[in-house]
Each structure stands twice: as structure tokens, then as C-alpha cells.
Amino acid sequence: MKLVKIDHPWVWSSVVGKIVILCFLPIILYLGFHLFIIISPTSGSIFKDYAESQRIYDRHNLLLRESVNKEGNRAHWVSLDDISPLVIDATIAVEDKRFYAHSGVDFQALGRAFKQLILNGRIVSGASTISMQLSRMMFDYPRSWYGKLRQIFTAIRLDHSFDKHTILLQYLNRLAYGSGTMGIEAASQKYFRKPNTHLSLAEAAFLASLPKSPTTLNPFINFDGAKKRQVFVLEAMLSNGKITPFEYDQAAQEMIRVEGDSAQIRAMHFTDYVISQIDSSGDIVTTLDFDLQHKIDDLVKDHVLSNKAGGLTNAAVVLLDNKSGSILSMVGSTDYWNSQSGSVNGAISLRQPGSTLKPFTYALAFENKKTPATVVADIETRYLSEEGGMFIPRNYSENLYGPILMHDALGRSLNIPAIRTLNYVGIAPMLDRLHLIGFQSLVNDDDYYGLGLTLGNGEVTLLELAQSYAMFARGGLIPQTHFLMDSPSHQTRRAFSEDISFLITHILSDESLRIQAFGAANPLLFDFPIALKTGTSTNWRDNWVVGYTNKYTLAVWAGDFEGGVMDRLSGSIGAGPLFHKITQIIVNQGSSPEIPDQIEPTSGVEEIIVCPKSGLTPTENCPYSRSIYVLTEPDIRAPCDVHLIHRIDSRNGLLASQKCPSRYVEEQVFEVLPARFTRWEATHHTNKPPTNWSPLSPPDGITADAMVITSPFDGEVYIIEPGYDYHTQTIELTAEIDPVIPSAVWFVNGEKYKTSEWPYSTSWKLTRGSHQFRLQGGEMQSDPIEIEVR
């Protein structure tokens, strides 16, 4: 026998330690075995929790993304029935050929290893069984004689507590195959892009070769080494009688093609959102429809590219199923991998929503005695803030339309009527209702937002807007927006009644109003029923379109993540074309077009005919009328009080008094609007009656029943700006008088200032100090108001 000289003390101690263990091994094992049998835990408790990676699928089981587990591995647990017999045979042949014959420790292999150690002075072959390797995987025993001893005892305990199938199942699911994979299924997907049950004999043997040294045999780096080891595995299978010589030859000659990653990463913004919301691992089947998502993603890229010159750099989309509340599509930006904020998810980012909150303002008003046929004043309106500043809202078009029905004011997205409506219903009730619907991003109080809340001065997310509009589509029931196919059902809450939801839907479906608002060539016209609302934030930073059919709700945002100003792109232009194209895809996604159904009127509404100037029942004097849906009313509305007959002196077209001879009297229909519209009438062509009596037959006297100073407001404070011409710093004095009289006199600080004819406005140069204003005309005078100029 040839002796080997051992010089290094570490090697000597290691070899001696192994010899000692092997010499006394039978006694140690005998005693230890019975001791461990006594103290062995109950079945199953010995195994550590299995840390699966997170695999996110779309609703059709397409893998979107796989995220590694906390150890940084891809791991996919499969049952033994879902593990290929070829994999099992290859693994047993190369790792533990007597697996079914021993009780956790292969004493024959230990004896062989001991003999080779004595003869060669080094370890030639291992003696670790599958059970021993599994014990090291679970408990991470150190690579020392003490660790080996513990590994042996644990292996015996495993075989005593569990059957061979359980041990093999645990082993094949926990085994490291390199390249960040744990378990046979993860390895098969990683290297061959298919389930392990689809592996050929050659591929199964190739994977079985890797656990010997996953790093050294990494096929992406050392393919030849892995291939050589594969042949060794095939030889072991042949020797074990698991394959025939013919099968061996075929498998050895088969070309192995390592594919790389098991799947590309899809829908990054959506999967990021899923990961942020749940902490579970394993297979996660979501509600996303990737085929639809892919088409929408392409449309987003094309739309942003075509509007780049207008300052548009990004867009985002959310699509919901109304019935279930499930997310069908979520596109967060044009390109997730773009270094310029590409990874920002526009679907859940906070942005100002513009006019998209107006429908909730009107819905609240309809709950509080207003109707779509209620007239609201679209006139210059001023509000004094608590800080003493002046808030003067403006319409997007910069025009004023006077008396307008709430139906039209919402459908045309007019700002001033929306502000007046919110002032009526109250900011706090509006904010409370928005919170109920799901706008959790509105975290400040009502004083912070003020009346600008209905114009979108708060910040919300696209997902919140989609959920809130789906509420209208669901008849007022708030959807539980979710992204999991097996999401548990929740008790639904109601935000508005079915009747009010129908009224809002009917208004937002009125294409004639979209034409008035955006022109006849706007992209928000469809050949099927759809309710929608646009929005544009301050300085054209954000464009929105949110709409719904009976089945789906679609929300689109377009803008710039950095807050860049677009070149006067409004919601209908910046987001409208994209909304239109996506809607067409949704309708035509099946084998035949799925035309949305018309939403039918609910039982608690009725269609009435009104005069659009008064909102009342038209008379023979009204030049036109229109039908409007309202909540069912117990009584017929009063006759129109705007279109009235006046006696006119045909000789001069002025008012004819009772003294005017009948042959000169003509009865004509005029629009007699309330006094609050006086200033608006002065700058707009209306069919208003003359204000002066005919001098050919004057009445005995004229009296005024009401006289109110409308500007400035009582208690206002004005500042003379330094650096500007003192003489140009003036304020306008305005008033309303009902009925109209020819002229009135302004008094400042008790002294006559100026006589003003209808509509009684004039200007006054700012002068430092406290000042009192009063108006007088006929037999009436206004209440005084006081201001301060600093």
C-alpha cells in the first residue's frame, strides 16, 4: 500500500478528523439514531417554510413577471406528480443511486469513501445521500466534521419521519441549480423556457448535472463542463438500468440549447403596483388583459410621439371592468425603461384633475333640490377669500353665457356655474362625498381647497378617477377596484342614487354639448353611447378624459411628469384622440363589434319640456324649448317668467305707458332676466326690452323696488401698487336695479360723484383712506358699503 505524505497541518487534521468519524461511526450512529427517534419533532415541523418567488400572471395565465424571493432566487414549488420521471431518475442515479434502499445514510457509500480516503489521502467520492443533502439545505450545517455528524443524524431523522416521496419532493424543490434558481421547475423555466414535465431525457440529465457545482458548471459560462457532467449523468442512468443503450446514445448526441431567462418582463408599471400592494409569493393571477394592455401601450407611444411638438411627453391609461371593478389595463408611461421619469406610474401619481370633478358637484346639487333644468348664472362672479383676496373664476373659453341650465353647464364644462353650484352645496359636504367615493388622495381640509375644489385644485390619481366614474356606470354603487382574479367580494357602498347617477350619465353622454364645447371636428364624438368628461389643469399641465359605457370605464391622462407646460393643449386635444382610439379597440376587440348599450332611464326620473332661459314650462311666448331629464316632480313647473310681453310705442320703439294711444301700441315678446344678469346683458346681445318710456306718452312716475351695489364688496381692502401710474389705478363701481330705471346717482363719502345710465357702472380712482359708497335713483337708495384703500 502506498502511503501519502501529508505536510500541511490543516489537511492532516482534516483527514484525521474524517478517519476518526468513520472509525467510530457505527457506534455513534447507533446511539444517536435511537436518541433522535425519541426527541424527533412531529411530522412536518422539521421543514422550514419554502420561500417561493413571486410570479405575476395576466387573466389568461400569461406570465408577466417573476420576482426573486428574499434569498434572491427564483423558486417554484411543484408537486411530485408535476416532476418529470426523467428528472427523478437522473437525479437519483447521479446523487444517491441507493436512495430507496437505505434509511437516510448509505453505509456502503461511507465505507467506499473511507477506503478511498485511506488509499489516496484525499476525498475521491462523496457519500452524501439525498436525505443528508436535504438536511444541509434546511439547517445550513457548517462544512466540518461536527457539521457532517449533525447532517447524518438529521438525515436519519428525516427518513424515520417521512416517506421517500416526501423527501424527494422537498429535495427537488429546494435544490440549487445555479443562476439564481432553486428547485427543478425554476431551473427548467430558466434554462429551457418550459415546464420540467416537457424536458427531454437529454435536458433532464443536463439539469441533474448542475447541482454538483452550480457556479462552476454554470452553462452560460462553462457549457462544456456542464455538457461533460451531463454525459456522466446519462452513464449513471444507464448503469442503474433507467435507460437503454439506444436512449443513452440519442440523449448524448442531442443538441442542448440553453435559452436564458424564462420570460420577458411585461407590464412593468402594473406589476410594480401589484408588488407594492401584496406581500404574498407564488402564483398571482391578476385581472390584467395583456393582449389589450399591449395594444393600448402601443397607442400611448404613438400618441405621445405625434404630440411631442405641443409639449406632450407622457401619458397614462387605466381601464376598468364596471361589473367587477377589476383592472383590465394599466399603462403608467410611454416607456418604463426611459431614464427621463419612465418608471413613474402615471396611473397612481398625484396630479390636478381639472374639470373632471365637476360631475360630483352637480350630483350633490341634484340631491339638494337642484335639477338639470335649474338655471345657473354664468356671469362674472367674485368671491372674497378669508385672507381678503379676490377669487374671480373664468371659463376656459373666456366667454360668459348668462342664464344656462345645469344640464348644459356641466355638459359644456363651464367653470363659473360649477363654482356657483359648489358654493350652493358646500365645500365640506363635497369633500366628504369625494372621500366616500374613493378620493383618498384629497388629504387636506375644505378651507385648503376652497371653491377651487370643483375645478380640480386638489391632487388625485388616474386610478381614483377611473373608480369614481365607474361608480356612475354602476348606478351609484362604488366599485371595489382590484387586480386579483380571486379577490374576495366586499360589501358595496352607495355614493349616489340610481336616479341621480342616470342624470349625470345622460348629461355626460350628450354629444351636442361636446360639439358646442369643442367643435364639430373634436375627437370625442362616437357612433355609440358613451358618457365622458374632459379636464385640463392650470396652465395646460395635465389633460384628462374619463368616460364609461355600460361595461367599461376608461381614464386617460396626458402631460409631463416634470410639470412642463403644454402648448395650450386641452383635455379634448391632449388626451381626447388617445381616448377615442382606445375606446374603438375596446369595442372591436372581439370577433364582432361589441356596441355599448344605451343606459335606460331609471324609475325615479322623468323627461320634461322646459324653456332653456328660465328652466320653467314654456309658454307661447318662448321661442324655443327642450326636453330635460329630472327627478320625478309631483307638480308641473310654473310658466316661463323670462319671455314676457311688453307694450311698445311703435313710433319710437320705447315703452308705451297706459297713456299711449292704442293705435300706436304693439305687444312684443322680450327676455326679462333677473337683475343679477344686468351687467352681462350690457355686453351681450339679448332680446331685452327697452329701458326708457316713450316721451310721447310718459307715465306719471317711476319707482325702483330694489337697488344693490354689486362692486365693490363691503369691507374690501385695496392696495395702491407702488411703481405704477397713480392715476390708472381705479376700481369699477357696479350695481343692479330691479326694475330697470334710466339712470342712478353715485355718492362717495356723502357727496354726489357721478350720474350713470343703465347698467349704472362707472370707475373710481383709488384714494388712500376709508370710503363709503351709496347709489340713489327714483325713490330708492342702496345700502351703503365701505372699503379701505392702503
Side-chain angles (χ1 to χ4, degrees):
M1 180 174 67
K2 181 181 178 181
L3 297 177
V4 179
K5 183 180 179 181
I6 302 176
D7 294 325
H8 198 288
W10 182 87
V11 175
W12 170 253
S13 63
S14 178
V15 172
V16 170
K18 290 180 173 64
I19 293 174
V20 171
I21 291 174
L22 292 174
C23 290
F24 291 96
L25 194 59
I27 299 174
I28 295 172
L29 290 180
Y30 180 80
L31 297 175
F33 174 75
H34 288 86
L35 177 64
F36 267 68
I37 293 304
I38 295 173
I39 65 174
S40 178
T42 57
S43 178
S45 63
I46 195 171
F47 295 122
K48 295 191 301 183
D49 291 336
Y50 185 81
E52 281 209 58
S53 52
Q54 192 179 58
R55 293 172 301 280
I56 303 174
Y57 297 86
D58 87 332
R59 69 194 301 116
H60 303 298
N61 291 313
L62 174 69
L63 181 64
L64 301 174
R65 179 178 179 180
E66 183 173 8
S67 300
V68 298
N69 61 19
K70 57 186 177 182
E71 283 83 27
N73 295 319
R74 293 184 181 182
H76 187 172
W77 183 274
V78 288
S79 67
L80 201 61
D81 291 337
D82 291 325
I83 297 178
S84 169
L86 296 174
V87 171
I88 295 174
D89 290 344
T91 302
I92 291 176
V94 73
E95 297 292 345
D96 188 1
K97 67 180 180 179
R98 298 185 65 251
F99 173 69
Y100 290 107
H102 60 68
S103 298
V105 178
D106 189 346
F107 291 102
Q108 291 184 17
L110 282 175
R112 183 191 70 245
F114 175 71
K115 180 179 178 180
Q116 292 173 339
L117 177 63
I118 296 298
L119 293 175
N120 297 280
R122 62 183 177 84
I123 297 176
V124 176
S125 63
S128 291
T129 63
I130 285 177
S131 299
M132 292 169 65
Q133 293 180 52
L134 179 58
S135 68
R136 188 176 67 245
M137 291 178 203
M138 294 188 301
F139 297 104
D140 196 23
Y141 292 136
R143 292 182 178 274
S144 64
W145 68 267
Y146 174 70
K148 180 65 70 174
L149 187 61
R150 295 185 64 188
Q151 183 180 336
I152 290 171
F153 282 141
T154 305
I156 294 173
R157 185 172 62 172
L158 285 175
D159 264 60
H160 173 74
S161 302
F162 306 100
D163 59 35
K164 291 293 185 179
H165 287 81
T166 302
I167 293 172
L168 192 60
L169 173 67
Q170 292 286 336
Y171 178 74
L172 289 172
N173 276 295
R174 296 175 184 273
L175 194 56
Y177 287 86
S179 298
T181 60
M182 183 175 77
I184 184 61
E185 182 65 17
S188 182
Q189 294 287 356
K190 173 73 175 181
Y191 296 117
F192 297 117
R193 294 190 182 181
K194 57 185 174 183
N196 83 90
T197 52
H198 294 180
L199 294 172
S200 67
L201 171 59
E203 292 168 336
F206 188 86
L207 291 183
S209 72
L210 301 181
K212 171 72 175 178
S213 181
T215 302
T216 304
L217 297 176
N218 185 335
F220 298 121
I221 300 174
N222 183 17
F223 181 83
D224 292 340
K227 176 64 178 173
K228 183 178 179 180
R229 175 72 177 169
Q230 177 225 25
V231 174
F232 177 79
V233 174
L234 290 171
E235 291 173 348
M237 294 179 74
L238 179 63
S239 176
N240 266 17
K242 294 299 181 181
I243 58 174
T244 66
F246 176 77
E247 290 172 325
Y248 169 83
D249 292 336
Q250 291 291 107
Q253 295 174 20
E254 182 179 321
M255 181 178 293
I256 297 295
R257 183 175 181 179
V258 178
E259 298 287 350
D261 284 339
S262 59
Q264 66 185 80
I265 300 176
R266 304 177 174 94
M268 280 297 294
H269 289 103
F270 174 74
T271 54
D272 272 354
Y273 174 69
V274 172
I275 292 170
S276 72
Q277 297 297 307
I278 59 177
D279 193 31
S280 59
S281 58
D283 292 339
I284 300 169
V285 182
T286 69
T287 59
L288 190 85
D289 185 332
F290 182 74
D291 180 60
L292 193 58
Q293 168 93 359
H294 182 64
K295 294 175 182 177
I296 293 175
D297 191 55
D298 287 342
L299 289 177
V300 168
K301 289 181 173 64
D302 292 342
H303 177 72
V304 171
L305 183 62
S306 63
N307 287 275
K308 187 176 181 180
L312 181 61
T313 64
N314 247 306
V317 175
V318 170
L319 177 65
L320 300 181
D321 178 274
N322 291 336
K323 183 177 181 180
S324 65
S326 59
I327 299 174
L328 299 177
S329 177
M330 177 187 284
V331 177
S333 72
T334 56
D335 182 7
Y336 181 91
W337 306 107
N338 189 307
S339 59
Q340 298 287 327
S341 304
S343 62
V344 174
N345 189 347
I348 56 175
S349 299
L350 294 176
R351 313 291 297 185
Q352 289 191 336
S355 297
T356 56
L357 297 188
K358 289 176 182 174
F360 310 101
T361 305
Y362 285 95
L364 204 56
F366 298 160
E367 276 189 352
N368 290 274
K369 301 181 180 180
K370 300 297 183 182
T371 77
T374 298
V375 172
V376 60
D378 184 24
I379 58 178
E380 182 175 301
T381 308
R382 303 182 180 189
Y383 295 95
L384 186 65
S385 68
E386 292 184 355
E387 295 78 16
M390 186 67 66
F391 173 46
I392 307 177
R394 296 278 187 264
N395 290 327
Y396 175 78
S397 65
E398 297 291 337
N399 294 324
L400 299 172
Y401 299 96
I404 189 167
L405 300 178
M406 283 190 170
H407 177 106
D408 296 2
L410 173 57
R412 295 168 61 181
S413 194
L414 300 179
N415 291 340
I416 296 173
I419 289 287
R420 297 177 74 97
T421 303
L422 178 57
N423 192 49
Y424 168 78
V425 300
I427 304 168
M430 168 73 164
L431 191 57
D432 289 342
R433 191 63 60 91
L434 291 176
H435 287 159
L436 172 65
I437 295 169
F439 286 101
Q440 301 306 313
S441 299
L442 296 172
V443 297
N444 296 299
D445 60 19
D446 54 311
D447 289 334
Y448 176 86
Y449 298 113
L451 292 172
L453 178 62
T454 192
L455 303 185
N457 67 356
E459 291 185 328
V460 303
T461 70
L462 190 66
L463 184 57
E464 288 174 334
L465 278 173
Q467 173 179 298
S468 63
Y469 274 70
M471 174 271 299
F472 285 129
R474 289 162 51 90
L477 293 176
I478 304 168
Q480 294 295 325
T481 304
H482 65 276
F483 54 83
L484 297 176
M485 287 296 290
D486 59 353
S487 179
S489 59
H490 299 275
Q491 183 177 1
T492 55
R493 296 175 299 167
R494 178 169 292 282
F496 293 104
S497 69
E498 282 189 279
D499 299 330
I500 289 177
S501 298
F502 168 78
L503 295 180
I504 296 297
T505 298
H506 184 255
I507 294 171
L508 299 183
S509 302
D510 193 335
E511 287 198 337
S512 67
L513 297 179
R514 289 181 219 154
I515 293 174
Q516 293 182 51
F518 309 121
N522 78 80
L524 299 177
L525 302 178
F526 300 86
D527 53 2
F528 48 80
I530 183 170
L532 62 86
K533 184 72 187 71
T534 64
T536 306
S537 68
T538 305
N539 294 327
W540 296 276
R541 284 188 170 89
D542 303 282
N543 287 179
W544 311 80
V545 179
V546 189
Y548 53 93
T549 63
N550 57 312
K551 290 188 176 181
Y552 305 106
T553 295
L554 174 64
V556 175
W557 167 86
D560 180 76
F561 285 140
E562 305 301 324
V565 177
M566 291 181 286
D567 186 14
R568 298 185 69 85
L569 290 180
S570 66
S572 63
I573 301 173
L578 179 59
F579 181 92
H580 187 103
K581 292 175 182 177
I582 295 174
T583 302
Q584 294 293 342
I585 285 180
I586 296 169
V587 170
N588 296 288
Q589 62 180 322
S591 57
S592 59
E594 188 178 358
I595 305 300
D597 296 330
Q598 182 76 48
I599 298 179
E600 295 298 324
T602 53
S603 60
V605 302
E606 64 174 336
E607 190 174 19
I608 64 173
I609 307 297
V610 298
C611 170
K613 289 293 184 180
S614 65
L616 301 175
T617 301
T619 67
E620 59 183 12
N621 299 329
C622 298
Y624 39 80
S625 62
R626 58 175 301 182
S627 62
I628 293 281
Y629 276 102
V630 297
L631 297 179
T632 302
E633 298 178 350
D635 301 311
I636 298 176
R637 294 195 170 199
C640 174
D641 58 3
V642 168
H643 295 101
L644 302 178
I645 295 176
H646 283 255
R647 291 160 48 90
I648 301 297
D649 189 333
S650 61
R651 294 169 293 180
N652 51 28
L654 299 178
L655 294 174
S657 69
Q658 295 298 325
K659 295 181 179 180
C660 184
S662 59
R663 63 181 181 275
Y664 299 123
V665 175
E666 292 181 356
E667 291 188 341
Q668 298 181 19
V669 176
F670 294 93
E671 290 184 0
V672 182
L673 298 175
R676 64 179 182 273
F677 293 102
T678 301
R679 289 187 61 201
W680 175 79
E681 285 186 290
T683 56
H684 292 77
H685 177 72
T686 62
N687 184 29
K688 58 181 178 294
T691 58
N692 296 324
W693 294 96
S694 171
L696 302 177
S697 54
D700 294 332
I702 302 171
T703 60
D705 297 323
M707 182 177 292
V708 179
I709 296 176
T710 56
S711 178
F713 290 131
D714 191 39
E716 281 187 327
V717 177
Y718 292 86
I719 306 295
I720 296 177
E721 294 288 344
Y724 292 90
D725 186 353
Y726 174 80
H727 297 88
T728 62
Q729 299 191 49
T730 62
I731 61 173
E732 188 177 20
L733 307 181
T734 63
E736 294 179 359
I737 302 175
D738 187 20
V740 174
I741 60 177
S743 63
V745 180
W746 287 95
F747 290 84
V748 179
N749 298 327
E751 296 183 2
K752 182 178 179 180
Y753 172 64
K754 186 178 292 185
T755 299
S756 297
E757 296 183 350
W758 181 89
Y760 323 115
S761 60
T762 187
S763 61
W764 178 77
K765 184 175 67 176
L766 293 177
T767 304
R768 285 186 174 87
S770 297
H771 304 280
Q772 184 190 80
F773 296 85
R774 183 171 52 83
L775 186 65
Q776 183 175 323
E779 299 179 358
M780 196 75 172
Q781 69 177 13
S782 70
D783 292 331
I785 63 100
E786 295 184 358
I787 67 168
E788 182 180 353
V789 180
R790 300 173 182 173

